[in-house]
Amino acid sequence: MAKYVLFVEGADAVRVGLGPLLDQQLRGRNPKMVACGDLNRTIKRFLDEVSQPRFPGHTPLLLIDLDGPAETAAAVLAAKKLARHTAHTFWMIQEMEAWFLAQPAALDRFFKKPVSTKLPATRPPP
């Protein structure tokens, strides 16, 4: 089974909140998660892991915010020297919000109350 280490932009609260949601989907096969703080620090820690692994045997993944339209993703990757790592880079704005919105029942179960009633009625695109 493949092992992953996920470098997440944001504070430890992101990791704590994301863990149980991943666990519901991955059924206990969660990646190791490292909350890194701001964007630049997250990218640095990811690139450090690529060049000098602290988690041998784990594939590093990067989960960061896309603070702009989807069309800017390639430019952000190029500017941050991540163009070689597109297959291991995931955007929260494109991936995470759609994932959360696409699973209202999972959110209700996690929060133990009907939070999905506060979500937009329009479903995210597949």
Side-chain angles (χ1 to χ4, degrees):
M1 174 170 53
K3 294 181 180 179
Y4 300 95
V5 58
L6 181 62
F7 293 88
V8 181
E9 180 183 357
D12 201 47
V14 172
R15 183 187 59 78
V16 170
L18 189 57
L21 288 171
L22 282 175
D23 194 48
Q24 286 183 357
Q25 296 300 307
L26 300 175
R27 294 172 177 71
R29 299 172 309 201
N30 291 22
K32 292 181 182 293
M33 283 191 279
V34 180
C36 301
D38 69 31
L39 174 65
N40 290 329
R41 182 168 181 193
T42 305
I43 291 170
K44 180 182 182 335
R45 293 198 57 193
F46 168 78
L47 292 173
D48 287 349
E49 183 67 22
V50 169
S51 64
Q52 297 180 340
R54 290 181 43 213
F55 300 94
H58 289 73
T59 300
L61 302 174
L62 181 62
L63 181 61
I64 55 178
D65 283 325
L66 179 58
D67 296 323
E71 296 79 26
T72 64
V76 171
L77 290 171
K80 299 293 183 179
K81 300 186 177 23
L82 292 168
R84 294 181 349 166
H85 305 286
T86 57
H88 295 114
T89 301
F90 299 89
W91 304 101
M92 284 192 254
I93 193 73
Q94 294 175 333
E95 312 282 335
M96 296 304 295
E97 283 84 347
W99 180 52
F100 291 144
L101 294 174
Q103 301 181 72
L107 290 172
D108 291 345
R109 280 191 309 274
F110 176 77
F111 289 107
K112 297 179 176 62
K113 58 184 172 181
V115 297
S116 63
T117 60
K118 302 202 185 316
L119 296 175
T122 305
R123 302 286 290 179

